[in-house]
Amino acid sequence: MASYGELLQQGAGSVPTIGLEDARTLMDGDAVFLDVREPAEWDLGHVPNALHIPRAQVAGKIQQAIPDKSTRVVVYCARGSRSAVAGAEMRALGYEHVENLIDGFNGWEQRGLPTIVPSTLPEAQRRRYSRHMLIPEVGEAGQRKLLASRVLLIGAGGLGSPASLYLAAAGVGTLGIVDDDVVDESNLQRQIAHSTQRVGEAKVDSARETLTALNPDVDVKTFQERLSSENIDRILGEGWDVIVDGADNFPTRYLVNDASVWHGIPVVHGSIYRFEGQVTVFSPGEGPCYRCLFPAPPPPELAPSCAEGGVLGVLPGVIGSLQANETIKLALGIGDPLIGRLMLFDALGATFTEVALRRDPNCPVCGEHPTITEYIDYVEFCAAR
Amino acid sequence: MSVVRIPPTLRVDTNGEREVIAEGENVRELLDDLTTRFPTLHGKLEYANVYVGGEDIRTRDGYETEVSDGDTVILLPAMAGGAG
């Protein structure tokens, strides 16, 4: 058996070479690119659709990998030495059209020619998220973003249930849930994160159990407390990319709004009543805030809660899922989020209607000259109407 | 003549109707006509945002915003519910 040095000398003389630009024109054709570098080098990036056989294994594996010896093969390594050897071995085995890529992958990369970085997600995650990774707009890079994202859900009720389930399933890495309530029998008609045997349990614990059973990748952080001016800075201070607002009362809505403007965190807003839902995204600095839309809450007799007026069980499923959709888009940075647009869903008419929302330059919180710059008494503010 | 979409919280005042017809050259006339037809709406409409052709009247001419025949007018109140 010839030594590597001997092979190198033979190879250098016997294998035709091909330049970077000429090789590039072969990318979309029938030619095969063969990468003979070590696995650790391959893992850092390679020519798209290349075949990978480390140099020492080429002689043993090439005939199985490329049975047709008339195939045009561009063989490359980092700088062109190992590939010269591999090429010589292949020619000795009868491969007729082997060319050694001058300057190798290093030159290819420096020239800015197309490369891809192969998956480094664990196999189990690649299987779990395969349907995401097949979508060009998501892909492995997008899935990594989701896994690194942190989303805070206000409420683990009607909206928070479907929203958190889909976010957990999507692999949003950290989900925070704020809710001080316990599971009640009357919740189960719509709050699908909970279940009959968990009646009486804290909603945050029940939701955590459901979400981690669905996807153990997700770190669920629970806040079993009622959101207030006193605790909101501490909770938001843990650092969140998106807030999903599924609160069930006006004081919390206004509190979440003001805090999100001051913390600069986008809010995916959903609200529901009987057969109708509203969804929008309030993104500080980019679009209106909740106060631009509704400067003040309506008097209580005109704004009954779902506990008072009822809600179709499936409605939060629709609206909460739309909230999850907007949240995932924000986390991935894709698509057109519902910023400056409010989507209305009418379950009876089965219609979606969109209205335009504009930033109010006189908004007391996000306007040009804000007059509210610290937390107020939100219960009093909402009761005063 | 315009179609006005009635939000769920106000349907108790419109005999349960989700959409009603109202007349008026502008939003003010339209809402006055609506209140004439459904008197218990009196005092409640000012708490709803009003959209004509999908645009908030506050970004147009407020209650003087013109309404054309066939326009859909949406009344949109704040809803707190997250189905806690």
Side-chain angles (χ1 to χ4, degrees):
Chain A
M1 178 105 190
S3 73
Y4 182 83
E6 285 162 353
L7 283 170
L8 181 55
Q9 269 190 328
Q10 288 164 15
S14 63
V15 182
T17 55
I18 184 168
L20 294 168
E21 291 299 337
D22 286 341
R24 180 196 197 160
T25 64
L26 299 179
M27 282 185 70
D28 299 324
D30 298 330
V32 173
F33 280 71
L34 173 64
D35 187 319
V36 298
R37 298 174 302 156
E38 295 307 305
E41 297 173 276
W42 164 267
D43 285 348
L44 294 175
H46 56 76
V47 175
N49 299 319
L51 184 67
H52 179 222
I53 307 177
R55 205 284 306 167
Q57 299 169 30
V58 167
K61 292 189 173 169
I62 192 66
Q63 297 185 82
Q64 197 182 351
I66 309 178
D68 180 357
K69 293 188 176 173
S70 65
T71 306
R72 188 169 185 181
V73 182
V74 175
V75 58
Y76 73 88
C77 60
R79 282 182 299 274
S81 306
R82 284 171 289 173
S83 52
V85 173
E89 288 177 324
M90 289 174 64
R91 283 171 68 87
L93 289 168
Y95 286 86
E96 300 157 23
H97 301 290
V98 183
E99 288 156 289
N100 181 22
L101 182 67
I102 300 177
D103 300 326
F105 185 71
N106 292 0
W108 180 276
E109 221 176 7
Q110 280 163 16
R111 188 71 61 93
L113 297 175
T115 65
I116 58 164
V117 178
S119 176
T120 49
L121 277 185
E123 183 56 34
Q125 289 193 337
R126 268 187 275 167
R127 281 198 304 273
R128 176 180 286 269
Y129 306 116
S130 64
R131 300 302 188 279
H132 269 168
M133 309 226 279
L134 288 168
I135 308 173
E137 289 82 354
V138 183
E140 180 163 333
Q143 190 59 51
R144 286 176 176 289
K145 275 191 200 169
L146 290 176
L147 286 163
S149 310
R150 299 172 55 86
V151 174
L152 181 69
L153 295 129
I154 311 297
L159 295 172
S161 284
S164 63
L165 277 163
Y166 274 114
L167 294 173
V172 169
T174 308
L175 288 177
I177 308 178
V178 190
D179 201 312
D180 69 335
D181 207 359
V182 295
V183 179
D184 183 84
E185 228 175 342
S186 67
N187 299 150
L188 300 175
Q189 159 257 22
R190 63 196 178 283
Q191 300 186 16
I192 58 174
H194 311 303
S195 60
T196 308
Q197 66 267 35
R198 299 210 197 116
V199 169
E201 261 184 51
K203 282 188 181 176
V204 290
D205 293 336
S206 166
R208 177 171 52 197
E209 211 172 314
T210 303
L211 300 175
T212 49
L214 174 60
N215 188 351
D217 286 348
V218 180
D219 180 14
V220 180
K221 294 189 182 302
T222 58
F223 303 90
Q224 194 188 346
E225 47 198 314
R226 190 169 182 81
L227 205 57
S228 69
S229 301
E230 286 69 43
N231 62 17
I232 194 163
D233 280 335
R234 166 174 55 80
I235 293 171
L236 295 197
E238 294 205 6
W240 305 97
D241 300 311
V242 184
I243 295 170
V244 177
D245 183 2
D248 61 357
N249 63 85
F250 283 113
T252 304
R253 297 279 186 188
Y254 283 94
L255 169 64
V256 167
N257 179 72
D258 297 356
S260 69
V261 170
W262 297 329
H263 283 260
I265 306 172
V267 175
V268 179
H269 170 96
S271 58
I272 48 177
Y273 182 71
R274 291 191 174 163
F275 294 101
E276 297 205 3
Q278 307 175 355
V279 196
T280 186
V281 174
F282 299 117
S283 185
E286 278 190 89
C289 77
Y290 187 62
R291 284 183 189 263
C292 299
L293 174 60
F294 297 117
E301 65 274 18
L302 289 184
S305 67
C306 295
E308 294 157 331
V311 62
L312 189 71
V314 68
L315 180 68
V318 176
I319 301 299
S321 299
L322 286 170
Q323 288 180 281
N325 182 56
E326 291 305 303
T327 303
I328 287 170
K329 282 160 58 187
L330 290 174
L332 291 173
I334 61 171
D336 298 315
L338 277 170
I339 298 172
R341 300 185 286 146
L342 178 82
M343 190 184 266
L344 303 168
F345 175 63
D346 169 13
L348 286 177
T351 55
F352 283 102
T353 310
E354 190 180 304
V355 297
L357 306 186
R358 305 251 185 268
R359 211 167 160 185
D360 178 2
N362 299 315
C363 174
V365 171
C366 81
E368 286 155 18
H369 304 288
T371 52
I372 300 174
T373 54
E374 57 187 43
Y375 299 114
I376 59 171
D377 184 333
Y378 292 90
V379 174
E380 189 193 71
F381 169 67
C382 293
R385 298 298 304 183
Chain B
M1 203 170 73
S2 305
V3 173
V4 183
R5 286 186 48 179
I6 306 297
T9 47
L10 298 180
R11 284 181 203 158
V12 64
D13 302 299
T14 60
N15 308 319
E17 292 297 323
R18 287 157 42 219
E19 289 186 348
V20 299
I21 301 293
E23 309 262 1
E25 302 274 304
N26 58 36
V27 173
R28 184 185 308 284
E29 292 176 15
L30 195 85
L31 297 187
D32 284 348
D33 182 48
L34 200 62
T35 312
T36 307
R37 292 173 198 227
F38 304 103
T40 54
L41 282 175
H42 185 77
K44 298 180 179 176
L45 296 178
E46 60 260 44
Y47 295 104
N49 291 351
V50 183
Y51 298 82
V52 177
E55 292 286 339
D56 191 332
I57 60 166
R58 289 176 299 181
T59 64
R60 295 176 66 181
D61 300 321
Y63 287 112
E64 308 309 319
T65 302
E66 280 183 27
V67 180
S68 313
D69 255 12
D71 269 345
T72 295
V73 176
I74 296 174
L75 302 180
L76 186 80
M79 302 193 297

